[in-house]
Every structure is written in structure tokens, then in C-alpha cells.
Amino acid sequence: MNSSSQSSSSIYWAFSISCFVAFTLTLVQVPDWLSAFWPDWIALVIVYWSLLVPSRIGPLAGFIIGTMLEVLFAKTFGVLSAGLATLAFLVNISHLQLRVTSRWQQIFLVVFLVAIYKLVNLWFEGMVDGAKITAQDWLSLIGDLMIWPFINIVLDELRRALKIR
């Protein structure tokens, strides 16, 4: 097996493992006061892998993971998929700029991109299901802001352990 296919295989294993953990964390029951601030784990994992390996993880991966999330939560088809595909696309086209920013700048840019993801989701939910946008819909961005550095560190360690470049 050559090194590029081994690396590609490692990327998909690492992506699958991190998505499984993100799905699990998304399903965790938390107290009501914490649920509003609970991060968008799937979106942050998509951002990380789209940022680090944009040639392998992109809008198609976001669409597939979004479809799995829709099945999991019994949501209308295409709402979460379109949001995650848009998020992956935005990260892919701006990955060079995101990589050269400082850690603090990157945190705020990632939260801005996740906010765009939430806006797309809320917009589609409003069109399809008639959902209203409330201030509570945006509180999870605070959780995203606080948890991104830890996700970055943990997934960097996973990437180093699997020798993914």
C-alpha cells in the first residue's frame, strides 16, 4: 500500500471516529440550563477536517453527515445537509486564510462560520417548517467559542497519532 492511499485511509478513519464522537456528544442529555449553550459538535468537526484536509473533506462529506443527522433527529430532508455542505464549502474556500491566522483570530472566524451555518439552517427551517428565529438559537455559539480550542487540540493529537498531514 502506498503512502498516499494509507494517508487517505487514515483520514477517513479519523474523520469517521471524530464524527461518531460528535454524534454521541450531540445526543448526550444535558440539563436545560446547559442545553442552550451546548456546542454544535458536528459543525465543529466538519470545520476542523475541512480546514486541515480540504482536498478530502468538503461539501459532499458535509452533506452526507448532515443527512445522517437529519435521519437521527427525524428532521426535514436537506435542511441540516445544506447547512453542513455550505459550512464545509466556506471552510474549503477560505482554508488558506484560516490556517495563517492566530489562534484567537481563528476561534472567532470559526464561530463566525458556524454562525453562518446556523443562519442557513434557521432560514431553511423557516421556509420548510415555519420555524421562528429566537435569541436562544444563537446561544450555542458561546459554547462553540469556548470548546473550539479543545476540539482543535484533541483532533490535532488524533491527526498526529495517525500521521495525517
Side-chain angles (χ1 to χ4, degrees), residues 8-162:
S8 178
S9 165
S10 296
I11 290 167
Y12 293 125
W13 273 108
F15 180 68
S16 300
I17 290 167
S18 56
C19 282
F20 176 76
V21 170
F23 273 110
T24 304
L25 288 169
T26 300
L27 292 173
V28 167
Q29 294 292 321
V30 295
D32 289 338
W33 63 270
L34 183 60
S35 66
F37 298 100
W38 199 244
D40 293 315
W41 298 100
I42 299 291
L44 294 174
V45 167
I46 293 289
V47 167
Y48 178 83
W49 289 109
S50 296
L51 178 63
L52 269 291
V53 282
S55 61
R56 303 274 188 210
I57 306 297
L60 180 61
F63 187 83
I64 292 169
I65 296 299
T67 302
M68 292 169 62
L69 203 59
E70 289 164 350
V71 169
L72 188 66
F73 290 124
K75 293 267 189 174
T76 305
F77 177 73
V79 172
L80 296 172
S81 303
L84 285 175
T86 303
L87 177 64
F89 174 74
L90 291 173
V91 174
N92 278 0
I93 63 172
S94 63
H95 75 277
L96 294 175
Q97 291 86 2
L98 282 169
R99 281 187 181 178
V100 298
T101 58
S102 71
R103 179 77 70 184
W104 289 105
Q105 289 172 330
Q106 188 181 62
I107 291 169
F108 288 108
L109 289 171
V110 165
V111 170
F112 176 72
L113 290 170
V114 173
I116 292 173
Y117 154 72
K118 289 188 75 62
L119 183 65
V120 169
N121 280 347
L122 292 170
W123 180 53
F124 277 126
E125 283 180 13
M127 285 192 322
V128 174
D129 299 330
K132 302 284 185 206
I133 298 175
T134 64
Q136 191 170 2
D137 294 328
W138 303 100
L139 291 177
S140 69
L141 293 175
I142 296 169
D144 295 333
L145 180 78
M146 294 171 66
I147 205 71
W148 173 254
F150 300 107
I151 287 179
N152 205 356
I153 291 167
V154 169
L155 291 179
D156 275 346
E157 289 303 317
L158 175 65
R159 187 173 55 85
R160 283 189 196 104
L162 294 174

